[in-house]
Each structure stands twice: as structure tokens, then as C-alpha cells.
Amino acid sequence: MIQKGYVLEMARYNAWQNNQLRKAVEALGEAAVRQERGAFFGSIFGTLNHLLWADTIWMSRWCSDVPAPGGSIPESAEFTATPGVWDAERFRMDGRIRIWAQTLSNMDLQSVLSWYSGAMGQNVSRRLDHCIVHMFNHQTHHRGQISQMIAEAGVAAPVSDLFIMPEDV
């Protein structure tokens, strides 16, 4: 399905996108990022928290040094207490994702991952490459929602076109 080069590129893209989001959060201020906006996870901050929570749960399945986050999907919107804590944790997770991506081999991508899915309420087994594509797709989905909320709040939305990503990110 995919090769290591895809994972490396998406890890880089994820970090680039989140760096832009951190700047937008700072420009908006805490009150604006916490404002209810009718999104799946309520606010910009709730959606940012959900994404960090989801990335953490996936990484905990792949990396023994990443502890699984507590809570469930509905509780994920409250994963971090403040935008400052979110910023620091997001930065750390993006670095961890990039390090993890570098350790993968194409053979690893063909392996099968088994875990208990709280979302499905059952044990699940899927190929690792399928799960990785899901993680990056999930990020893009919710970052699109965040970008819309940021634009509606009056701050320029991050540039998201992959071909525009700088080489030095």
C-alpha cells in the first residue's frame, strides 16, 4: 500500500502543519481558541486536543516508550489543560512521530497490528500500513476543520498544499 518514503513525508508534513497551527493559536489568543464553534469537538482547542490525543494513542500502539492516553474519544477534547501545554505536547509528539518514521522499514509496513479499539468496542487487527494511512488522513481531516474555524475567527488559515511545503521542514 505505502512505502517508508510516504511515512517520512507525511511525518514532515504533519510537523509543518502543526507549526503553522501553533502560530495561529498564539495569534488568536486563548479565549478565541476555546470559543464554542459547533465543530465535532466544539472549539479550535477541543479539536486540537482530539488530534493530539489520537496521535498519542496511535503512537502508543507502535512505540513502547509512548504511554497510552487516558480517556475516550469524547473526552479527548480535554486532553491538555491549556493552549501552552498543548503547544509543548504537540511539539514533542511531532518530533516523536518523525523519529518513529525514520525507524520503519518497508517490511515493517506489511506487519499486522492488533489492539483493542474503544471506538469499535472490540479487538481489531489491521495491517500497519493501513493504520498509518488512517492516522495521517485523520490529521488532515481535523486540521481542515481547524483551518476553517481559524479563518472564521479572522486569522489567516495555514497553507496546507503539500507541494508548497518547504524542503527544510
Side-chain angles (χ1 to χ4, degrees), residues 156-168:
V159 175
S160 62
D161 296 311
L162 183 61
F163 72 91
I164 296 175
M165 181 173 58
E167 289 297 321
D168 62 347

Side-chain angles (χ1 to χ4, degrees), residues 44-91:
I44 293 168
F45 188 55
T47 308
L48 290 168
N49 263 328
H50 169 71
L51 264 177
L52 178 57
W53 178 88
D55 288 352
T56 303
I57 204 161
W58 281 110
M59 291 301 293
S60 75
R61 292 171 180 154
W62 302 327
C63 303
S64 61
D65 65 328
V66 176
S72 62
I73 292 171
E75 298 162 330
S76 67
E78 299 171 7
F79 187 53
T80 64
T82 68
V85 172
W86 169 83
D87 184 292
E89 293 301 318
R90 180 75 266 177
F91 182 79

Side-chain angles (χ1 to χ4, degrees), residues 12-126:
R12 211 167 62 86
Y13 178 76
N14 171 65
W16 176 54
Q17 289 298 290
N18 289 327
N19 282 336
Q20 292 182 78
L21 289 176
R22 284 204 309 277
K23 291 174 187 171
V25 165
E26 185 177 336
L28 282 167
E30 187 164 351
V33 298
R34 288 183 180 275
Q35 181 180 335
E36 172 59 47
R37 298 181 185 275
F40 290 168
F41 296 96
S43 65
I44 293 168
F45 188 55
T47 308
L48 290 168
N49 263 328
H50 169 71
L51 264 177
L52 178 57
W53 178 88
D55 288 352
T56 303
I57 204 161
W58 281 110
M59 291 301 293
S60 75
R61 292 171 180 154
W62 302 327
C63 303
S64 61
D65 65 328
V66 176
S72 62
I73 292 171
E75 298 162 330
S76 67
E78 299 171 7
F79 187 53
T80 64
T82 68
V85 172
W86 169 83
D87 184 292
E89 293 301 318
R90 180 75 266 177
F91 182 79
R92 276 192 279 281
M93 180 53 64
D94 291 346
R96 186 63 186 98
I97 290 171
R98 290 183 79 168
I99 290 167
W100 161 78
Q102 292 170 357
T103 69
L104 290 174
S105 70
N106 286 330
M107 288 299 295
D108 292 332
L109 297 173
Q110 305 305 308
S111 65
V112 174
L113 177 68
S114 297
W115 75 98
Y116 178 81
S117 168
M120 296 176 68
Q122 64 186 37
N123 290 318
V124 178
S125 294
R126 298 284 188 273

